[in-house]
Amino acid sequence: STLVNSTVLITRKFSLHTVATASNYLVFALACALLTACGGGKFDLSDNQAQPLQDPSSQQDCADKNPQRNAYFGDLHVHTGYSADGWMFGARTTPQDAYRYAFGGEVLLPPNNASGTEGTRSARIDRPLDFMGVTDHSEFYGEGRICTTDNFAGYDSDYCQEYRASFGRNFTLAMAMIAPYTWRNGDLCGEDGEHCKKAARAVWEDTIAAAQDWDDSSDNCQRSTFIAYEYSSVRLGSNLHRNVVFKNTTVPRLPISTIEAPRHWQLWEA
């Protein structure tokens, strides 16, 4: 798998649920399964092979390279407004904003202004990090971009109106992920999923560009960034999330989501 070969680590998050909680999720899942026939097609990932974005030989060794290793401090689990739950909890930040904050700049946080376009509370980190990777949830990259960008076809759809009106957890999105059989909204994404796939690719390209913009590739090595995302499986109420962090710029054209790979081991096969 090109994904595995180009990945430095996949971190695992797992939680156990009580029998009562699991049975509640099962009821939801069965209801979701009944809706599957109304869904649109999943993304065709046959053209998703990882490709290098730059020549690895262009990277320089750090001037303070230490054969005994140095200790660095950073964060490899960061969400922005590009994550559906982040947006619904009021985040209007982008990967560019997240990196700016991580490396000493200012970021705007909720509560948001009257138009809901940006936060009104500023924050700055006490000590800039040495490294960071933005790991937005890959599941609804495209749907989120369409529903929050008014020049996209589908912005005024019922699906998007519900998306923008939600605070916290969106019932429709939750059902699509908890169900044993995943799907995308056919009215929004199209039967072949291409409308959402195109929007998702724009989000992924923004994420990659932000990581590359903020990475210090000189021998000064003041800061390091990682291209990354979060695969967020909650099938039948499980919590089998993986943060996928790439060791270089050899990355797929789209991140793998639980919609296309509903069983967590399929992440390795994609």
Side-chain angles (χ1 to χ4, degrees), residues 110-124:
N112 296 328
N113 59 14
S115 62
T117 56
E118 66 178 7
T120 58
R121 180 170 56 94
S122 63
R124 189 183 297 270

Side-chain angles (χ1 to χ4, degrees), residues 3 14-16 30 40 46-47 111 115 127 136 163 172 176-177 184 201 205 215 227 262 265:
L3 174 61
F14 177 74
S15 66
L16 298 175
L30 292 174
S46 60
D47 62 346
S115 62
R127 178 198 182 280
D136 279 314
Y163 186 104
T172 300
M177 295 180 66
R184 295 191 183 277
R201 185 158 287 156
E205 289 171 353
D215 187 63
I227 300 170
W265 61 78

